[in-house]
Amino acid sequence: SYLEAQQRQAATVGSIHAFVTTRGRVEDEQAVSGHLNLSSKALLRNHQQQSTLMREVLETVRFDETTRQRDLVKQQLARREQSITGNGHGLAMTAASAGMSPLARLHHEQAGLEGIRRLRSLDEELSSADGAGDFAGRLQALHETFEKAPLQILAIADEAHLDEVCEAIDNAWSGHVSNASGGGFTRPHLRERRGELWLANTQVNFCARAYPTGPPQHPDAPALTVLGGVLRNGFLHRAIREQGGAYGGGASQDSGIAAFRFYSYRDPRLAETLADFDNALDWMLDTPHEFRALEEAILGVVSSIDKPSSPAGEAKQHFHNRLYGRSHEQREQFRAHVLAVTLDDLRRVTQTYLRPELASTAVIAPAGMRDATTDLCEELSLVVQEL
């Protein structure tokens, strides 16, 4: 049973997790690939049991415990619904950028507002025996697909015992058959403008606006990344937080989904904040800027690139980066280009990418604001969505 499985896991490993990662290619945000990850950590004396447990978790999982499956869906739905007030700005940005690339749409459908709505529908489906049985069957079919997918293993251990750990892993996974040339999925190319107003169980507003840009290896990605810091420090913090009364606001480039995004957090305003997003662009183009503002933004980006991690964390990051075609050399090249960004570069990318006709907008507002937001929806062509 799942309880026995959890007890064995607790006795063998410090933690064990299963999760999915998806990324676009560094040179093309429209090409998306993904992986199912099974990860655990354990004390050295338990490494043999850890290796055996990992394989058994992957291969012998049960799908007939439908009551437990519904409990898990309910728990996830409750966490997602409670996250709206705490992470509303992130959900709004995900909704605004959902038309920028296949990965951006996937984020919206899985972890965004649309994902919450789909979880709610799934919870209702599982309330009947037929629905629960159908869901269990879909999980079983998905599991069979994963079992046949190509397998890669990352082992992290101290150098003195690495050979011993690797030998145990080889023994534990001997006989496992995977299709070395199979697996993978495709998503259709996507680049569209969106406008949505989501009515949710919240007492405050969250505003977001997104513009299509380019992938990580695009020549303008460093300048767009620095631009986010300049706009946040020089204009948005003052206009949205100090003058507008929101808890926070800012802008950032997300090269993974090829989008530049504005946001406000726990905001008493709607239309005024969206106007401030536009005013920030005018401020960038029309106001003389000191080099100090550029320098501060560059230092902020570089510090995030150079932020240290644990030895194991560095190894994991390198492994996953290689899975998606990212290398340490590319990271260093990006860092060098960030250091070379000029104020003229910021003005150029603002004019090139952040144009009104390209903007997508998403707003989260309290459920009782439908009538009060009618004019805003008509002005910006926002489609009302109920959560």
Side-chain angles (χ1 to χ4, degrees):
S1 70
Y2 75 90
L3 284 174
E4 293 168 329
Q6 289 179 348
Q7 290 167 359
R8 183 182 168 202
Q9 292 170 8
T12 304
V13 298
S15 65
I16 184 166
H17 304 284
F19 55 95
V20 172
T21 55
T22 49
R23 292 190 191 179
R25 293 175 60 176
V26 291
E27 74 282 359
D28 182 8
E29 77 283 354
Q30 298 292 326
V32 181
S33 60
H35 295 81
L36 172 71
N37 302 271
L38 186 62
S39 174
S40 72
K41 62 180 180 180
L43 296 173
L44 179 63
R45 65 173 180 262
N46 292 332
H47 74 86
Q48 292 184 347
Q49 299 97 307
Q50 177 192 24
S51 299
T52 303
L53 175 67
M54 292 277 283
R55 179 167 181 176
E56 292 186 5
V57 165
L58 178 64
E59 294 183 345
T60 64
V61 59
R62 292 173 55 180
F63 295 102
D64 59 342
E65 297 174 298
T66 55
T67 301
R68 175 59 176 169
Q69 291 169 15
R70 190 181 184 197
D71 287 344
L72 292 173
V73 170
K74 282 185 173 296
Q75 292 171 15
Q76 192 174 68
L77 176 60
R79 287 195 297 269
R80 295 281 191 86
E81 289 177 333
Q82 292 169 4
S83 73
I84 294 175
T85 300
N87 186 43
H89 62 304
L91 295 170
M93 285 192 290
T94 301
S97 55
M100 303 299 168
S101 68
L103 184 58
R105 173 66 63 84
L106 197 62
H107 287 168
H108 182 53
E109 294 172 346
Q110 292 183 337
L113 293 165
E114 181 61 31
I116 295 175
R117 189 156 62 182
R118 292 186 178 194
L119 263 180
R120 190 173 293 155
S121 297
L122 177 59
D123 181 50
E124 294 174 357
E125 176 187 345
L126 298 183
S127 63
S128 69
D130 290 342
D134 181 66
F135 180 63
R138 298 203 304 271
L139 290 180
Q140 180 71 56
L142 185 61
H143 177 256
E144 291 173 359
T145 300
F146 277 128
E147 277 197 300
K148 298 174 184 178
L151 174 68
Q152 298 187 60
I153 297 177
L154 167 68
I156 304 171
D158 61 282
E159 187 174 1
H161 298 92
L162 188 58
D163 291 341
E164 176 187 348
V165 171
C166 290
E167 182 180 358
I169 292 173
D170 286 339
N171 292 334
W173 288 91
S174 62
H176 177 82
V177 178
S178 63
N179 182 0
S181 61
F185 68 96
T186 59
R187 300 276 293 188
H189 285 211
L190 179 68
R191 182 58 64 88
E192 65 182 21
R193 189 179 180 187
R194 295 169 64 94
E196 296 177 344
L197 184 142
W198 287 78
L199 299 173
N201 183 22
T202 176
Q203 302 301 315
V204 288
N205 305 310
F206 301 90
C207 304
R209 180 159 284 164
Y211 300 82
T213 55
Q217 212 164 326
H218 193 283
D220 288 333
L224 287 163
T225 304
V226 174
L227 176 63
V230 173
L231 292 175
R232 179 179 61 253
N233 299 335
F235 185 89
L236 294 171
H237 178 82
R238 180 182 72 253
I240 294 176
R241 177 176 171 80
E242 296 178 1
Q243 298 175 356
Y247 275 36
S252 63
Q253 160 74 359
D254 187 340
S255 297
I257 61 172
F260 189 92
R261 309 185 296 184
F262 291 83
Y263 71 90
S264 70
Y265 176 67
R266 295 182 64 88
D267 196 341
R269 306 183 303 164
L270 284 177
E272 299 88 343
T273 293
L274 296 174
D276 280 338
F277 293 160
D278 295 333
N279 295 336
L281 303 180
D282 295 334
W283 171 84
M284 185 66 237
L285 295 173
D286 302 335
T287 303
H289 302 285
E290 298 180 357
F291 176 76
R292 179 181 175 182
L294 172 65
E295 185 179 39
E296 289 177 352
I298 289 176
L299 290 175
V301 175
V302 171
S303 66
S304 66
I305 296 174
D306 294 344
K307 183 179 180 180
S309 182
S310 66
E314 292 282 357
K316 290 180 181 180
Q317 183 183 50
H318 181 72
F319 177 79
H320 284 278
N321 283 342
R322 292 292 295 271
L323 286 178
Y324 296 99
R326 291 157 169 81
S327 66
H328 180 72
E329 291 73 22
Q330 290 171 342
R331 181 180 176 181
E332 290 299 305
Q333 185 181 52
F334 181 83
R335 184 183 187 278
H337 289 164
V338 166
L339 291 171
V341 169
T342 66
L343 288 170
D344 287 339
D345 290 330
L346 300 186
R347 297 186 183 95
R348 176 179 56 78
V349 296
T350 300
Q351 290 177 321
T352 302
Y353 299 98
L354 310 187
R355 305 199 307 270
E357 67 271 18
L358 301 177
S360 292
T361 302
V363 172
I364 301 176
M369 291 285 290
R370 175 184 287 273
D371 293 339
T373 56
T374 300
D375 291 343
L376 178 66
C377 291
E378 291 180 356
E379 178 185 353
L380 300 178
S381 300
L382 303 182
V383 178
V384 177
Q385 305 277 3
E386 291 191 10
L387 191 60

